[in-house]
Amino acid sequence: MNSAAVESGTRSRTRRAILGAAAEVLAQDRAATLADIARAAQVGRSTLHRYFPDRDVLLEAAVTDAYLVIQQSIQDAAVDEGPPLAALRRLVTAMVDTGDRLLFLYGDSSVLEGYEAGDEPDSVSRMTADLIERGQAEGVFDPGLAVQWIQDTLWALVYTGCDSAVRGVLPRHGVATAVMSMLENGIRVQSRGDVKFE
């Protein structure tokens, strides 16, 4: 491997570390400084500035990175394949796995202002809506509920689950299960005669 390739790989890892740290830190404190982010990324301020000359440039890159990570995670979950309920479980797990990036991106509505994600077939919103519509068409999800309502509820539960894990209310490994339990059963105790999705 030549030195240019090694340097490129190092630069890519450093950039990813900074963006990951930005999402983690800003998800918890929107007023966090560049110094806070550099510390979390384990790089010096001068290194951070070489990649992102100011806060606005870093924020813009962090928003794009967070969206793309979430989008890729959902694509990898293959939510257009298999039974709708199994696909929904994969979707929830994929969303939960993006953790800090999801909290950063959706914790403050102003973060996404001006960000054009579009409504392409592979956009996060479109993939989620397609799954819900498929589940309704197959009689698995309630067709009497608006797709947008189900989608909003899904995102709210996933966000709350990730936030609860950060606050210690839920164990991180239990978030996806808790979210699915709420989606499938609500908060009532299930009796043996209750019908559950399979």
Side-chain angles (χ1 to χ4, degrees):
M1 184 178 293
N2 63 39
S3 59
V6 171
E7 181 179 348
S8 176
T10 301
R11 285 188 59 78
S12 178
R13 283 192 299 277
T14 302
R15 187 175 192 279
R16 287 197 308 270
I18 293 170
L19 291 172
E24 177 184 2
V25 170
L26 293 170
Q28 303 308 312
D29 179 7
R30 300 289 167 171
T33 66
L34 292 179
D36 295 329
I37 294 168
R39 194 175 310 110
Q42 299 181 344
V43 299
R45 282 284 302 276
S46 60
T47 297
L48 186 147
H49 282 292
R50 278 200 302 274
Y51 289 82
F52 305 102
D54 60 43
R55 185 182 176 84
D56 288 342
V57 172
L58 174 57
L59 283 175
E60 184 177 342
V63 167
T64 299
D65 174 72
Y67 184 86
L68 291 175
V69 167
I70 293 168
Q71 180 185 49
Q72 187 62 57
S73 185
I74 293 174
Q75 285 177 334
D76 291 346
V79 297
D80 57 340
E81 299 175 8
L85 188 59
L88 181 64
R89 289 176 178 143
R90 292 195 305 273
L91 172 66
V92 167
T93 300
M95 292 164 70
V96 168
D97 286 347
T98 65
D100 292 327
R101 285 178 168 93
L102 186 138
L103 291 173
F104 162 63
L105 203 58
Y106 297 102
D108 178 352
S109 59
S110 68
V111 169
L112 281 170
E113 283 177 8
Y115 182 76
E116 296 295 332
D119 196 34
E120 298 85 7
D122 62 350
S123 75
V124 168
S125 179
R126 186 69 260 159
M127 287 187 289
T128 307
D130 285 349
L131 169 58
I132 294 167
E133 289 168 358
R134 183 164 67 89
Q136 288 178 322
E138 294 182 21
V140 178
F141 306 150
D142 187 346
L145 296 175
V147 171
Q148 190 63 54
W149 166 249
I150 297 174
Q151 190 170 35
D152 289 349
T153 302
L154 168 65
W155 280 97
L157 283 172
V158 170
Y159 180 90
T160 302
C162 290
D163 182 61
S164 294
V166 170
R167 293 183 292 116
V169 175
L170 289 173
R172 182 65 184 247
H173 66 272
V175 171
T177 300
V179 169
M180 281 306 303
S181 177
M182 286 292 285
L183 282 171
E184 292 183 58
N185 308 316
I187 60 172
R188 66 190 177 91
V189 174
Q190 300 295 305
S191 68
R192 289 184 183 175
D194 286 336
V195 175
K196 295 179 71 175
F197 292 138
E198 294 298 338

Coordinates of all heavy atoms in Angstrom, one line a residue, residues 92 173-182:
V92 N -36.6 -1.1 13.2 CA -36.4 -0.5 14.5 C -35.0 -0.8 15.0 O -34.3 0.1 15.5 CB -37.4 -1.1 15.5 CG1 -37.1 -0.8 16.9 CG2 -38.8 -0.6 15.2
H173 N -29.0 -2.4 25.0 CA -29.4 -3.6 24.2 C -30.9 -3.9 24.3 O -31.3 -4.8 23.6 CB -28.6 -4.8 24.7 CG -28.9 -5.2 26.1 ND1 -28.3 -4.6 27.2 CD2 -29.8 -6.0 26.6 CE1 -28.8 -5.1 28.3 NE2 -29.7 -6.0 28.0
G174 N -31.6 -3.2 25.2 CA -33.0 -3.5 25.3 C -33.9 -2.5 24.6 O -35.2 -2.6 24.6
V175 N -33.4 -1.5 23.9 CA -34.2 -0.4 23.4 C -35.1 -1.0 22.2 O -36.3 -0.7 22.2 CB -33.3 0.7 22.8 CG1 -34.1 1.7 22.1 CG2 -32.6 1.4 24.0
A176 N -34.5 -1.7 21.3 CA -35.3 -2.2 20.1 C -36.5 -3.0 20.6 O -37.6 -2.9 20.1 CB -34.4 -2.9 19.2
T177 N -36.2 -3.9 21.6 CA -37.3 -4.8 22.1 C -38.4 -3.9 22.8 O -39.6 -4.2 22.6 CB -36.7 -5.8 23.2 OG1 -35.7 -6.6 22.5 CG2 -37.7 -6.7 23.7
A178 N -38.0 -2.9 23.5 CA -39.0 -2.1 24.2 C -39.8 -1.3 23.2 O -41.0 -1.2 23.3 CB -38.2 -1.1 25.2
V179 N -39.2 -0.8 22.2 CA -39.9 -0.1 21.1 C -40.9 -1.0 20.4 O -42.1 -0.7 20.2 CB -38.9 0.5 20.1 CG1 -39.7 1.1 18.9 CG2 -38.1 1.7 20.7
M180 N -40.4 -2.2 20.0 CA -41.3 -3.1 19.4 C -42.5 -3.6 20.3 O -43.6 -3.7 19.8 CB -40.6 -4.4 18.9 CG -39.8 -4.1 17.6 SD -40.8 -3.5 16.2 CE -42.1 -4.7 16.0
S181 N -42.2 -3.7 21.5 CA -43.3 -4.1 22.5 C -44.3 -3.0 22.5 O -45.6 -3.3 22.5 CB -42.7 -4.3 23.9 OG -43.7 -4.6 24.8
M182 N -43.9 -1.8 22.6 CA -44.9 -0.7 22.6 C -45.6 -0.6 21.2 O -46.9 -0.4 21.2 CB -44.2 0.7 22.8 CG -43.7 0.9 24.2 SD -45.1 1.1 25.4 CE -45.6 2.8 25.0

